[in-house]
Amino acid sequence: MNKRQRIKKNEDFQKVFRKGKSFANRQFVVYCLKGEQQEAFRIGLSVSKKVGNAVTRVQVKRYIRQAFLELKDEVRKDMDYVIIARTQAATLNFHETKSSLEHVLKVARVLKK
């Protein structure tokens, strides 16, 4: 994921939280907001200290980024996504993380499948 595909600024996060719609399952909460004339989707990640220690949090972030890279052709391109990992996300392996994210994105109706 290159830098243009990440949401880093607090004001961008707040805009997605205020104006976007949220969808959730037991492991993740996803906020979706249609972006203004952007050619690629952007994602922001939030993994709190409740999820685990630093190693666990970084691993969860890597799993989410890799799942989005594998789903990049199926996800709507004109959207901003903020993914919040819940505590149950720490117990998942990569394949479980990917399937859980797919489930939430299908509920949000942003997957092309």
Side-chain angles (χ1 to χ4, degrees), residues 5 35 38-42 71-81 110 112:
Q5 288 182 298
Q38 62 190 36
E39 64 278 351
F41 65 85
R42 298 188 310 161
L71 294 170
K72 70 180 177 186
D73 295 330
E74 301 166 16
V75 175
R76 285 185 53 185
K77 305 280 188 224
D78 60 342
M79 302 280 285
D80 286 341
Y81 304 99
V110 293
K112 292 181 181 173

Side-chain angles (χ1 to χ4, degrees), residues 45-91:
L45 302 176
S46 174
V47 182
S48 77
K49 288 185 178 180
K50 292 179 186 176
V51 173
N53 62 10
V55 175
T56 305
R57 295 194 307 268
V58 169
Q59 184 180 41
V60 169
K61 289 181 192 179
R62 285 183 181 164
Y63 285 167
I64 294 169
R65 280 192 209 108
Q66 185 61 36
F68 256 86
L69 276 176
E70 292 184 9
L71 294 170
K72 70 180 177 186
D73 295 330
E74 301 166 16
V75 175
R76 285 185 53 185
K77 305 280 188 224
D78 60 342
M79 302 280 285
D80 286 341
Y81 304 99
V82 172
I83 297 111
I84 301 171
R86 292 182 167 171
T87 55
Q88 293 87 357
T91 62

Side-chain angles (χ1 to χ4, degrees), residues 1-7 40-44 69 72:
M1 308 232 10
N2 58 20
K3 292 199 181 245
R4 285 172 276 147
Q5 288 182 298
R6 293 194 187 164
I7 298 173
F41 65 85
R42 298 188 310 161
I43 67 167
L69 276 176
K72 70 180 177 186

Side-chain angles (χ1 to χ4, degrees), residues 6-60:
R6 293 194 187 164
I7 298 173
K8 292 293 234 177
K9 295 183 179 177
N10 185 33
E11 61 226 29
D12 292 339
F13 273 95
Q14 295 304 320
K15 185 164 97 174
V16 174
F17 288 140
R18 278 194 317 268
K19 297 181 181 178
K21 295 197 177 216
S22 66
F23 305 92
N25 64 7
R26 291 184 183 183
Q27 293 84 19
F28 300 103
V29 179
V30 176
Y31 284 84
C32 304
L33 178 66
K34 187 165 172 45
E36 305 92 23
Q37 301 158 351
Q38 62 190 36
E39 64 278 351
F41 65 85
R42 298 188 310 161
I43 67 167
L45 302 176
S46 174
V47 182
S48 77
K49 288 185 178 180
K50 292 179 186 176
V51 173
N53 62 10
V55 175
T56 305
R57 295 194 307 268
V58 169
Q59 184 180 41
V60 169

